Amino acid sequence: MNISAEDHSFEDFVNIGFVFVGAITTYVLHWIIGWNVVFSASIVGLIFSFIPNLMASHQELQNLPAAVYCGTFVGMTKVGDSPNFLFISIASILTGLILLGTKNAFHGYGGKLGSLAFVGVGLAFYFYNIVLQ
C-alpha cells in the first residue's frame, strides 16, 4: 500500500474531526447524560447519517456518517479505560489518523470501523497511561 499526499484531500482530514465529534458525542450521551452505551452510539450514528442527504452540495460531508460512526466506537470505551475527555480526544484523533491512513484498505471486509477504533483506543491507552502518567 502506497500512501502519498496525492492520495489525500482536505475532505480526508476533515474526517478526523468527524471521528472526534462521534466519540465525544457518544461519550457525553453515555457517561454524562446516562443513556445506554449502545443506544447512545446508535442515536449518534442515526442522526449524522442524514446530514449528507440534507447537505448534498457539500462534498466534504459525504463521508461523514462512516467517520462519525467510527468515532462512536471510540466513545463507547469503558469508563475505567477512558477516565476523561482528554483520553477520548487522544483516542479519537489517533483513530481518525488511522482511518485516514487506511482509506484505501480493507474494502469489503466487515468490522473495519470497530477494529480501527480498537487500535486507536489501545494506542491512546498506552500513550495516556505510560507517557502522560
Side-chain angles (χ1 to χ4, degrees):
M1 177 171 63
N2 182 14
I3 298 176
S4 66
E6 294 87 29
D7 293 338
H8 300 291
S9 63
F10 174 73
E11 289 84 14
D12 294 329
F13 290 98
V14 171
N15 285 339
I16 297 170
F18 293 152
V19 172
F20 177 80
V21 168
I24 292 296
T25 307
T26 303
Y27 187 81
V28 167
L29 290 176
H30 179 61
W31 297 113
I32 307 299
I33 295 178
W35 290 359
N36 177 287
V37 68
V38 175
F39 182 72
S40 299
S42 299
I43 289 296
V44 171
L46 178 67
I47 290 170
F48 282 94
S49 71
F50 292 112
I51 292 177
N53 293 333
L54 296 173
M55 304 178 85
S57 63
H58 296 281
Q59 183 61 34
E60 64 273 2
L61 297 178
Q62 299 309 306
N63 294 325
L64 175 119
V68 169
Y69 199 61
C70 184
T72 64
F73 288 118
V74 174
M76 293 172 70
T77 306
K78 186 174 70 165
V79 76
D81 295 333
S82 60
N84 54 36
F85 287 101
L86 176 62
F87 179 87
I88 292 296
S89 298
I90 293 168
S92 64
I93 291 169
L94 289 172
T95 301
L97 289 170
I98 297 167
L99 180 64
L100 177 67
T102 60
K103 81 172 197 170
N104 295 323
F106 307 119
H107 292 292
Y109 294 99
K112 175 181 178 178
L113 301 177
S115 298
L116 296 178
F118 173 77
V119 172
V121 169
L123 290 172
F125 185 80
Y126 170 78
F127 180 76
Y128 187 83
N129 289 307
I130 304 300
V131 177
L132 294 179
Q133 298 292 337

